[in-house]
Amino acid sequence: DVKVTQSSRYLVKRTGEKVFLECVQDMDHENMFWYRQDPGLGLRLIYFSYDVKMKEKGDIPEGYSVSREKKERFSLILESASTNQTSMYLCATHAGVSGNTIYFGEGSWLTVV
Amino acid sequence: RKEVEQDPGPFNVPEGATVAFNCTYSNSASQSFFWYRQDCRKEPKLLMSVYSSGNEDGRFTAQLNRASQYISLLIRDSKLSDSATYLCVVKRGAAGNKLTFGGGTRVLVKP
């Protein structure tokens, strides 16, 4: 089975703090994604990466950056956390053209106070 | 108008009953369609893909209506364990980044 691991499940951070959310996948997939999920808004794509050191903005990249130094690891960075970034963050991976299934990590619940 | 829309529910369903709900999409270039299931405070997991001819997986039936631009999910003989939020997912290209998620339909199956 594909495993997508998000290292931090529950975090509470202060406004202005730098926040790192780590994600690791074990299936050698090229594509990795970061979404946030908010009630009534569904999942919204923040950033995605289709290869090491490659990244593309999603629909809501403002206030976020990402890092993909190794194929299996995709990190989401909040440079200066704000209260409107309180959300659940989901990392996902996808096999690309050859696959349809998206595999999600268990989610990281971030509260910014 | 949102690109993918779902009735948020909740749909309150007696155990053993049938429930059905739709998901509408606005982009006619959409190519592939999926239903994901998400339990409370858990990650979404693939329930089933939706094929043009319609498809069935046990008690679950998915249909695609391209002319009216919607997909549907029907659950027969509902079980308590079917209580979840069902997310509609629409894919516009071969690459996985062209995915759009609906807001989800919440289903509550009650004894």
Side-chain angles (χ1 to χ4, degrees), chain A:
Chain A
D1 271 357
V2 175
K3 189 146 181 73
V4 182
T5 303
Q6 294 182 230
S7 54
S8 302
R9 293 295 315 280
Y10 301 96
L11 308 95
V12 179
K13 297 292 182 180
R14 295 190 182 279
T15 300
E17 274 193 82
K18 191 168 187 176
V19 181
F20 292 88
L21 298 179
E22 303 282 344
C23 175
V24 177
Q25 54 104 354
D26 66 357
M27 281 301 291
D28 202 36
H29 286 172
E30 293 85 8
N31 294 335
M32 294 188 76
F33 309 85
W34 275 106
Y35 292 91
R36 65 177 282 178
Q37 186 174 28
D38 301 287
L41 296 176
L43 273 79
R44 293 179 292 167
L45 181 64
I46 304 170
Y47 267 96
F48 66 96
S49 169
Y50 50 86
D51 204 349
V52 176
K53 296 193 187 293
M54 305 299 287
K55 60 185 179 185
E56 295 280 347
K57 292 180 180 179
D59 300 317
I60 52 163
E62 296 78 20
Y64 304 94
S65 62
V66 290
S67 172
R68 185 126 183 240
E69 296 296 318
K70 294 184 178 181
K71 192 174 186 179
E72 67 272 17
R73 188 179 298 268
F74 191 36
S75 303
L76 180 69
I77 303 151
L78 287 67
E79 295 290 343
S80 177
S82 63
T83 54
N84 63 11
Q85 291 179 309
T86 292
S87 185
M88 182 166 89
Y89 291 87
L90 284 161
C91 174
T93 184
H94 181 277
V97 173
S98 61
N100 278 323
T101 305
I102 294 263
Y103 298 93
F104 289 91
E106 291 183 310
S108 297
W109 293 83
L110 172 67
T111 301
V112 183
V113 297

Side-chain angles (χ1 to χ4, degrees), chain B residues 7 14 16 21 29 33 53 57 60 69 84 86 91 111:
Chain B
D7 183 336
F21 42 89
F33 308 87
S53 55
D57 183 1
F60 297 83
Q69 295 188 192
Y86 293 86
K91 188 176 172 186

Side-chain angles (χ1 to χ4, degrees), chain B residues 11-109:
Chain B
F11 284 63
N12 293 299
V13 185
E15 193 175 7
T18 295
V19 61
F21 42 89
N22 294 338
C23 163
T24 58
Y25 61 94
S26 60
N27 193 327
S28 58
S30 300
Q31 294 181 347
S32 307
F33 308 87
F34 310 90
W35 283 106
Y36 275 70
R37 173 196 167 122
Q38 186 173 24
D39 293 309
C40 188
R41 300 185 75 83
K42 299 281 192 180
E43 75 275 22
K45 293 185 179 178
L46 179 66
L47 178 67
M48 59 197 301
S49 302
V50 186
Y51 303 123
S52 297
S53 55
N55 49 300
E56 198 172 297
D57 183 1
R59 297 179 293 106
F60 297 83
T61 301
Q63 299 274 2
L64 167 63
N65 186 317
R66 283 195 185 273
S68 300
Q69 295 188 192
Y70 73 88
I71 65 171
S72 64
L73 182 66
L74 182 145
I75 308 173
R76 284 185 304 277
D77 188 22
S78 298
K79 311 291 184 191
L80 297 177
S81 57
D82 294 333
S83 295
T85 297
Y86 293 86
L87 303 177
C88 165
V89 183
V90 175
K91 188 176 172 186
R92 278 183 282 120
N97 54 293
K98 302 292 185 189
L99 288 166
T100 305
F101 289 79
T105 295
R106 191 166 170 221
V107 172
L108 293 172
V109 182

